[in-house]
Amino acid sequence: MARPWVCAAGAGLLLGLLALHSRLCGSPILKNFPLKISWRTENPLYRLDVGWPKYSEYFTGATFCVAVDALSGLVYVAQRGNNIPKVLVFTEDGYFLRAWNYTVDTPHGMFAASTPRGQSVWITDVGSGPYGHTVKKYTSFGDLVQVLGTPGKKGTGLNPLQFDNPAELYVEDTGDLYIADGDGGLNNRLLKLSQDFAMLWLRGGNGTGPAQFSIPHSVTLDSAGRVWVADRGNKRIQVFDKVTGEWLGAWTNCFTEEGPSSVRFTPDGRYLVVAQLGLGRLLLAAAPAVGRVGVCSVVSTIQLADEVAPHLLDVDGRTGAIYVAEIGARQVQKYVPMKSDFSSPAS
C-alpha cells in the first residue's frame, strides 16, 4: 500500500501539471475550476449556520448592523430603506419576533446592553432627517428612552453635544459609553461618556498620528481594560486605556490591503474578530497578553462570498457565535464555533 504522503504528493503534482497545461495550451479541463493553491493551512474555528435565520425574507433593506443580547437570547438587526421596518428582532435560533421603525432614520451602528438591571438597544443614526446625527437608546420593543447629540444637526460641539455621522458605540456593564464619531463626517474622534452622559475623555482629530483617526468605524473593549478602535481610513486598529484614554499602541501589519471595519472579542478574550468590508473577509487575531499590545497575528480567517461586504458584526457573549451584517448581500449571517470553549475565560 502506498504511503499517504506519496499519494498526496502525486495528487498535488497532477493538479499542478493540469493547471500549467490549461494556462499554456488553453485546455478546457480546468477552465472553470476555481483552483487556489496555498501552502498555508489553518484549523477553522467557525462554520456557517445555514439555518439562521429560519426565513430570510424578513431582510428587505440594506443590513448595516447587528447586535446580540446574550442574556435574553435576542438578536437585533438594523437595515436601511424606504417604507421598511428599520429594526428586526430575532431569537438566537433564528425565529423572527417583531420589528419597529420609530424615530430611526438611517441606522449605522448598534449595541445591545444587557445586565440583570435591564436591557436596552443603542443605535447610531447618520441620517440627514430630524433624528439624524444622534446616538439613541431604546427598549427592546422600540420605545425611545434617551437621545444623545443634537437631533438633525451635525457638528463638532461638546456643549451642546453634537455628532457628525457617529459610526458605532460600545456600552460597558457600568453604563459608561465609548462612541466612535466620524463615519466620513467632520469628526474623527473617540468619546467616553459616563453613565449619566458626562464627558470623561476625548481622543482624536483627523490625521495619521497616534490617537488621530480617519473614519473611526467600530469600537470594543477587552477584559484587560483596553479600548480597541477600527481606524478604517488609516488601515489600523488603535488601542487606548479605558480609564485614562492614554494611547497604548496600534496594529497595522494585518491591514495593508484594506482597513478594518468592525472589531469584537470572543467571550473568552482569546481572539479579536475583525471584518474587512471590501475584501469580504473576517479575521480572528490572537489577543495580546495584559500589559502589551504587540502586533496583529491572524490565527484563522473566514472568507465570505464575493460582494457580500461585511459591514459591522457582533459576537454572542455566551456562545461565541458571530453575527455579520452584510450590506452587499442584504442579510445577516451567523457563524458558530467549531468547538464550545469560546465562552470559557482564558486561562
Side-chain angles (χ1 to χ4, degrees):
M1 181 180 293
R3 295 183 178 179
W5 67 268
V6 175
C7 296
L13 179 60
L14 178 60
L15 280 174
L17 290 174
L18 287 173
L20 182 62
H21 182 270
S22 175
R23 182 173 294 275
L24 296 179
C25 304
S27 170
I29 296 176
L30 295 181
K31 184 177 180 180
N32 297 316
F33 188 78
L35 182 65
K36 293 184 180 180
I37 299 175
S38 174
W39 299 110
R40 178 184 175 184
T41 61
E42 60 182 29
N43 294 322
L45 299 178
Y46 279 83
R47 62 174 178 81
L48 176 65
D49 183 350
V50 296
W52 201 98
K54 301 301 182 184
Y55 305 100
S56 60
E57 59 264 25
Y58 289 106
F59 300 135
T60 53
T63 49
F64 266 72
C65 51
V66 58
V68 185
D69 180 347
L71 192 63
S72 61
L74 298 179
V75 180
Y76 300 87
V77 177
Q79 56 182 4
R80 297 183 189 178
N82 296 323
N83 302 315
I84 63 169
K86 297 297 177 63
V87 178
L88 310 173
V89 187
F90 297 87
T91 68
E92 61 182 4
D93 295 327
Y95 291 98
F96 175 77
L97 291 180
R98 56 183 174 269
W100 39 274
N101 194 32
Y102 309 108
T103 68
V104 181
D105 187 357
T106 308
H108 187 278
M110 201 176 203
F111 189 88
S114 183
T115 69
R117 297 187 302 273
Q119 289 75 42
S120 58
V121 182
W122 292 82
I123 297 176
T124 63
D125 197 327
V126 298
S128 57
Y131 304 114
H133 302 292
T134 56
V135 177
K136 293 173 288 191
K137 178 183 180 180
Y138 295 88
T139 68
S140 62
F141 288 89
D143 299 319
L144 182 61
V145 177
Q146 182 73 47
V147 178
L148 302 180
T150 307
K153 294 183 180 180
K154 61 182 179 180
T156 63
L158 297 178
N159 188 21
L161 182 62
Q162 290 179 299
F163 299 109
D164 189 352
N165 291 336
E168 198 195 47
L169 77 158
Y170 187 97
V171 184
E172 239 184 318
D173 290 342
T174 61
D176 292 347
L177 296 90
Y178 303 82
I179 303 172
D181 180 25
D183 181 43
L186 294 174
N187 299 335
N188 286 274
R189 62 188 185 180
L190 173 68
L191 302 86
K192 180 178 181 179
L193 305 181
S194 68
Q195 60 182 327
D196 55 358
F197 314 121
M199 179 69 65
L200 296 178
W201 51 257
L202 182 152
R203 298 292 179 267
N206 188 27
T208 59
Q212 294 181 323
F213 297 104
S214 175
I215 310 180
H217 200 260
S218 180
V219 57
T220 194
L221 266 68
D222 66 14
S223 59
R226 296 173 294 195
V227 186
W228 298 70
V229 183
D231 188 5
R232 180 173 161 184
N234 284 327
K235 296 184 179 180
R236 64 184 179 182
I237 294 174
Q238 296 201 70
V239 189
F240 301 83
D241 181 273
K242 78 169 189 177
V243 176
T244 65
E246 176 189 1
W247 185 82
L248 301 177
W251 281 2
T252 59
N253 57 299
C254 288
F255 310 109
T256 56
E257 294 179 87
E258 184 190 358
S261 64
S262 188
V263 286
R264 285 289 186 270
F265 279 93
T266 55
D268 58 7
R270 293 170 57 190
Y271 305 108
L272 180 65
V273 186
V274 182
Q276 291 179 291
L277 187 147
L279 296 176
R281 183 169 67 186
L282 307 183
L283 307 178
L284 276 84
V290 177
R292 60 187 299 269
V293 172
V295 296
C296 176
S297 176
V298 174
V299 175
S300 183
T301 61
I302 302 173
Q303 184 62 54
L304 310 182
D306 292 342
E307 300 181 3
V308 161
H311 185 245
L312 290 171
L313 61 84
D314 203 6
V315 177
D316 189 318
R318 183 175 57 84
T319 66
I322 302 172
Y323 295 83
V324 186
E326 303 169 347
I327 56 176
R330 299 167 71 90
Q331 66 182 5
V332 169
Q333 293 201 102
K334 178 183 180 180
Y335 293 84
V336 294
M338 300 289 285
K339 297 186 294 182
S340 59
D341 62 348
F342 281 100
S343 58
S344 302
S347 57

